[in-house]
């Protein structure tokens, strides 16, 4: 008993030490440091493509590394692979479970993955004559909120069971499990060197992990509600995936529901969000939250360095993507718009309006040539 | 038994905190300067920031195309 008391004291002492160390390096914030910078120009982007084909809400999208193809996932129970230049559909992959929350394109372009309320991550081969399931990764005990390929052999997942996991696709087994969050993991973003990733969760914390040793290296606070979106402006792609935000009660309730129609009710009442993206040089990441704000955290300073908020914005952030220089943040909101923020100065400099329902996902391809928004209105739009 | 699991979970918490406390932190002014520098260096290549001439925009049909 005495031992536990001693540890509690040490824990408190360490927490105070960490806070003091953060304060000690907080000699300015991003907005103040960027005061001398010219404002980014007002950004006015036009819709270049409206991709029609899904029959229900779109929950997620992800660009291929070829900057041309992309995959989208919808409640209509399909993944669609699109050629963004022509607007044509290349593939339509029927899903065993229509309760999909995330999709991902492998760097090689041969594989895609999806997952959701089925608690599984299913990997598909696009290059066989008929699209085939390569593996069903089944070990999470909660919904799959996000998945990202490291390569054709490994994939990272985030789950409502509060864990993230690194899988060996060939064996179908988890190589590493990342345990530390106390709330549903809603989103994850991989650094461009793939050695670290950040996760956002319903405990309103963002955590930085070492992919290989499973260690949680740093914990970031600041949001006052669930983190739905996390964006590491990676050198290659910045994207957002959507996931359902769940109240703890709902997440337990869904697993005991048997009828499809009851599941549908829960599914449609849940707001989707999951965004966390790295900044291009991997020193920082952006998060978007239910608290209607986005924040940038610098990893080396171990703290929040700027917030993106507006008194008139009172809808939750569902998704995030960064332009390739990191200067622009495209944030999708519940109010059907995607707002464009100057990442350095914290100013709102544009809006993408055009969807008739919540923007659930956004993504910028590696070459930064455009931004794609996906919506509950069942359409995807490409803008530049 | 509960005291054992309390103890091991406290131990994990303390170990995690020790790890986090040992992180070397960089001044925010330095971090901000590095992020700014990256943005500015890459600004000219950022199509969404500076725009694209119509001819090189893969999402825009060229106005006229004369093929002889």
């Amino acid at each position: 008993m005495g031992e536990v008391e001693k540890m509690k004291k040490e824990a408190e002492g360490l927490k105070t030490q960490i806070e003091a160390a953060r304060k000690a390096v907080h000699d300015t914030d991003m907005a103040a440091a960027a005061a001398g910078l010219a404002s980014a120009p007002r950004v006015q982007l036009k819709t270049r493509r409206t991709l029609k084909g899904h029959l229900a809400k779109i929950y997620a999208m992800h660009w291929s590394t070829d900057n041309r193809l992309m995959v989208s996932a919808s409640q209509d129970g399909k993944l669609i692979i699109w050629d963004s230049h022509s607007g044509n559909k290349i593939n339509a992959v029927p899903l065993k479970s229509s309760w999909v929350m995330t999709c991902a394109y492998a760097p090689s372009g041969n594989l895609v993955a999806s997952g959701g309320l089925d608690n599984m991550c299913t990997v598909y081969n696009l290059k066989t004559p008929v699209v085939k399931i390569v593996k069903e990764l089944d070990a999470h005990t909660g919904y799959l909120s996000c998945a990202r390929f490291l390569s054709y052999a490994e994939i990272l997942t985030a789950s409502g069971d509060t864990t993230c996991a690194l899988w060996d696709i060939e064996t179908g087994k988890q190589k590493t499990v990342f345990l530390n969050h106390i709330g549903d993991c809603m989103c994850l973003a991989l650094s461009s060197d793939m050695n670290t990733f950040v996760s956002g969760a319903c405990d309103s914390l963002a955590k930085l992990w070492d992919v290989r040793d499973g260690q949680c290296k740093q914990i970031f606070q600041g949001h006052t509600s669930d983190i739905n979106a996390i964006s590491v402006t990676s050198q290659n792609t910045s994207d957002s995936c959507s996931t359902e935000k769940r109240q703890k009660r709902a997440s337990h309730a869904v697993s005991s529901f048997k009828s499809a129609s009851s599941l549908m009710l829960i599914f449609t009442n849940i707001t989707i969000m999951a965004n966390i993206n790295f900044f291009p040089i991997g020193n920082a990441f952006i998060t978007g939250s239910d608290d209607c704000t986005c924040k940038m955290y610098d990893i080396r300073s171990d703290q929040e360095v700027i917030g993106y908020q507006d008194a008139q914005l009172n809808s939750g952030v569902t998704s995030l993507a960064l332009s390739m220089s990191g200067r622009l943040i495209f944030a999708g909101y519940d109010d059907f718009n995607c707002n464009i923020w100057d990442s350095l100065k914290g100013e709102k400099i544009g809006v993408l309006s055009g969807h008739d329902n919540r923007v659930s996902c956004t993504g910028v391809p590696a070459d930064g040539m455009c931004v794609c928004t996906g919506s509950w209105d069942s359409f995807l739009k490409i803008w530049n | 038994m509960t005291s054992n699991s309390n103890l091991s979970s406290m131990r994990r918490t303390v170990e995690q905190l020790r790890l986090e406390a040992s992180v070397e932190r960089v001044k925010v002014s330095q971090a901000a300067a590095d992020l700014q520098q990256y943005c500015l260096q890459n600004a000219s290549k950022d199509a969404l920031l500076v725009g694209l001439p119509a001819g090189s925009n893969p999402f825009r049909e060229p106005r006229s195309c004369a093929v002889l």
Side-chain angles (χ1 to χ4, degrees), chain A residues 65-243:
Chain A
T65 51
D66 73 359
N67 302 313
R68 180 170 180 143
L69 299 182
M70 34 177 265
V71 60
S72 60
S74 161
Q75 198 184 327
D76 65 7
K78 296 255 182 345
L79 292 184
I80 296 182
I81 313 293
W82 306 85
D83 175 336
S84 63
H85 288 185
S86 63
N88 292 337
K89 300 176 203 36
I90 308 295
N91 271 314
V93 183
L95 303 173
K96 278 189 185 175
S97 162
S98 60
W99 312 121
V100 64
M101 295 168 75
T102 185
C103 59
Y105 227 120
S108 61
N110 293 346
L111 307 173
V112 288
S114 68
L117 295 192
D118 58 356
N119 297 1
M120 290 196 310
C121 178
T122 306
V123 180
Y124 307 84
N125 187 338
L126 295 177
K127 301 301 184 182
T128 45
V130 176
V131 174
K132 273 166 64 162
I133 293 180
V134 168
K135 213 76 184 180
E136 284 173 334
L137 306 173
D138 191 1
H140 280 301
T141 55
Y143 58 87
L144 202 83
S145 55
C146 192
R148 284 295 174 258
F149 285 92
L150 275 79
S151 69
Y152 63 85
E154 289 179 310
I155 192 167
L156 256 179
T157 55
S159 170
D161 68 9
T162 77
T163 72
C164 296
L166 175 68
W167 303 76
D168 178 321
I169 294 174
E170 202 193 346
T171 65
K173 299 269 180 279
Q174 292 180 329
K175 288 163 94 154
T176 313
V177 184
F178 304 87
L179 305 161
N180 197 294
H181 277 297
I182 54 175
D184 302 13
C185 291
M186 302 305 296
C187 48
L188 70 89
L190 203 46
S191 65
S192 49
D193 65 9
M194 301 206 178
N195 290 331
T196 57
F197 74 95
V198 279
S199 61
C202 286
D203 53 16
S204 73
L205 301 174
K207 303 198 180 205
L208 176 74
W209 308 85
D210 182 308
V211 171
R212 298 299 152 195
D213 67 21
Q215 203 52 259
C216 171
K217 319 237 302 245
Q218 283 169 254
I219 298 180
F220 302 85
Q221 303 169 303
H223 278 295
T224 52
S225 185
D226 303 11
I227 291 186
N228 307 318
I230 200 161
S231 181
V232 181
T233 59
S234 72
Q235 244 134 7
N236 300 316
T237 23
S238 66
D239 51 30
S240 77
C241 56
S242 297
T243 27

